Amino acid sequence: MTILPNRYPTAEVHLRIDLTGRTGDAALVAARLTAALDGLAAVEVVAPPARLPAAEPGSHLRLVSAPLVRIEAQSRRVLLLGRPLTLTRLEFDLLHFLRRHPDRVFTRAALKSALWPRPDGNDRTVDVHVRKLRAKLEPHLDPITTVRGVGYRFESSAPVVLA
């Protein structure tokens, strides 16, 4: 049995920033930090602990990890870093299908019979769609692993959520 390393480690990062000055500074800093992180994480303003005197620095920001990709099945929408990602029908179906079956290897023929509306064409059609899907997700992540001589597998450790 082979244990594969986690390609997409997840961790919650806590960032504390003490602010001095006007009360509105915390919200402004949170907005600027959120924009700078470009969807990689969310920022929330947390009230200062009650034990701190009002004269001391006080507002705290907490950085919360967010998934890189969110698949919204009902609306058939995919968000990459919080922004809509344009996918064809087959690209969406392929990503959604593989995400629903993580760590399972599918042959090209199995993917083609499960997702393609017509049986014409050869199994290399799947390779073309996987390549196009990977191109749209790069450089942020590549959750689809090629299993040489067999087919494709979706990595369960990839930061992709189904909604």
Side-chain angles (χ1 to χ4, degrees), residues 6-46:
N6 185 344
R7 289 178 44 189
Y8 300 101
T10 57
E12 187 168 321
V13 177
H14 294 276
L15 174 66
R16 178 180 169 179
I17 302 174
D18 290 325
L19 301 171
T20 57
R22 296 183 306 273
T23 317
D25 287 349
L28 178 63
V29 170
R32 287 183 178 166
L33 188 54
T34 299
L37 291 170
D38 197 27
L40 290 174
V43 178
E44 67 180 298
V45 178
V46 179

Side-chain angles (χ1 to χ4, degrees), residues 12-153:
E12 187 168 321
V13 177
H14 294 276
L15 174 66
R16 178 180 169 179
I17 302 174
D18 290 325
L19 301 171
T20 57
R22 296 183 306 273
T23 317
D25 287 349
L28 178 63
V29 170
R32 287 183 178 166
L33 188 54
T34 299
L37 291 170
D38 197 27
L40 290 174
V43 178
E44 67 180 298
V45 178
V46 179
R51 68 179 192 280
L52 291 176
E56 289 187 24
S59 297
H60 304 282
L61 301 178
R62 185 169 61 207
L63 192 63
V64 182
S65 297
L68 293 180
V69 176
R70 178 182 172 92
I71 302 170
E72 297 176 351
Q74 295 297 320
S75 62
R76 295 188 60 84
R77 184 169 53 180
V78 175
L79 302 175
L80 174 64
L81 298 173
R83 295 187 180 116
L85 182 65
T86 304
L87 298 178
T88 66
R89 183 189 66 79
L90 282 171
E91 290 167 348
F92 178 88
D93 291 344
L94 180 62
L95 180 62
H96 186 248
F97 180 84
L98 289 171
R99 175 58 185 92
R100 283 192 354 248
H101 304 94
D103 295 327
R104 182 173 165 194
V105 178
F106 289 94
T107 64
R108 291 167 179 85
L111 289 170
K112 193 163 177 278
S113 68
L115 300 172
W116 268 252
R118 296 180 309 205
D120 54 338
N122 64 29
D123 293 344
R124 295 298 176 183
T125 301
V126 176
D127 296 344
V128 172
H129 284 81
V130 168
R131 185 172 61 245
K132 288 181 177 182
L133 182 57
R134 283 177 170 160
K136 291 180 180 182
L137 295 172
E138 288 177 352
H140 305 289
L141 78 158
D142 183 10
I144 302 169
T145 301
T146 301
V147 180
R148 278 182 67 96
V150 182
Y152 297 100
R153 172 182 60 232

